[in-house]
């Protein structure tokens, strides 16, 4: 059975991001959020530099499957320069999307919207969500630090 053009595009983009992830590395002098997916062994260390309420820089490092790595790479592209609120809204849209809910707002995700097909493989949802969950935790921890 031949792959549809959308499936082919999905495969190409995931492969590109997993082999050469964007914003890969660590930002020095900021907190690093370390998370893992115990079901498959994915591990991520996310570092986010905030400029007031905006994501000024973001990088991730770690080991993971192609879905986890590609999703984290796409996430960093999508949220760089966004406000914390915009990034949280994007994370919510992404979460719903990979769980099979359709949303007209998916276009705000950029290339990450191509991961909608993950919904067909429920065991991969945690892989796709790892970077996004780390982002939500980074925002939450930064907000908590500023409240003190």
């Amino acid at each position: 059975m031949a792959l549809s053009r959308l499936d082919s595009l999905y495969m190409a983009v995931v492969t590109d991001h997993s082999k050469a992830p964007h914003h890969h590395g660590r930002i020095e002098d900021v907190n690093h959020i370390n998370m893992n997916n115990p079901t498959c062994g994915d591990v991520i260390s996310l570092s986010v530099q905030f400029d007031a309420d905006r994501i000024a820089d973001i990088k991730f490092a770690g080991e993971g499957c192609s879905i986890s790595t590609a999703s984290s790479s796409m996430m960093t592209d999508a949220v760089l320069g966004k406000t914390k609120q915009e990034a949280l809204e994007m994370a919510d849209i992404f979460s719903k999307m990979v769980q099979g809910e359709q949303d007209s707002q998916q276009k705000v995700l950029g290339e990450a919207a191509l991961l909608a097909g993950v919904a067909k493989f429920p065991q991969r949802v945690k892989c796709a969500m790892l970077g996004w969950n780390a982002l939500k935790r980074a925002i939450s921890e930064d907000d908590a630090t500023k409240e003190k």
Side-chain angles (χ1 to χ4, degrees):
M1 176 190 250
L3 287 176
S4 73
R5 282 199 286 221
L6 184 58
D7 288 338
S8 295
L9 178 60
Y10 162 81
M11 296 285 292
V13 171
V14 168
T15 299
D16 286 349
H17 277 275
S18 66
K19 287 186 177 180
H22 303 178
H23 310 282
H24 193 261
R26 294 174 72 88
I27 302 171
E28 298 304 319
D29 301 325
V30 299
N31 286 340
H32 296 100
I33 304 300
N34 299 305
M35 295 187 80
N36 71 320
N37 177 0
T39 58
C40 71
D42 296 338
V43 176
I44 187 172
S45 177
L46 183 74
S47 47
V48 184
Q49 184 174 33
F50 297 101
D51 181 8
D53 194 40
R54 198 162 293 278
I55 297 172
D57 199 5
I58 184 168
K59 293 187 184 291
F60 76 99
E63 297 293 324
C65 67
S66 60
I67 298 293
S68 173
T69 301
S71 180
S72 296
S73 176
M74 291 177 200
M75 179 270 298
T76 60
D77 284 344
V79 302
L80 185 61
K82 301 287 193 256
T83 66
K84 291 177 182 179
Q85 186 60 40
E86 289 169 327
L88 290 171
E89 289 169 6
M90 293 170 77
D92 186 51
I93 291 166
F94 185 83
S95 177
K96 289 176 182 173
M97 179 189 75
V98 296
Q99 293 178 59
E101 293 181 36
Q102 295 299 315
D103 187 332
S104 62
Q105 299 297 313
Q106 287 175 214
K107 63 184 174 230
V108 302
L109 299 174
E111 283 184 325
L114 290 170
L115 292 173
V118 168
K120 297 176 190 172
F121 307 97
Q123 69 278 15
R124 307 298 280 179
V125 170
K126 287 183 181 178
C127 302
M129 285 300 304
L130 189 61
W132 293 89
N133 287 336
L135 173 66
K136 290 192 296 187
R137 195 164 115 204
I139 291 170
S140 174
E141 288 185 10
D142 187 66
D143 286 347
T145 300
K146 290 186 170 129
E147 289 176 4
K148 289 182 179 180

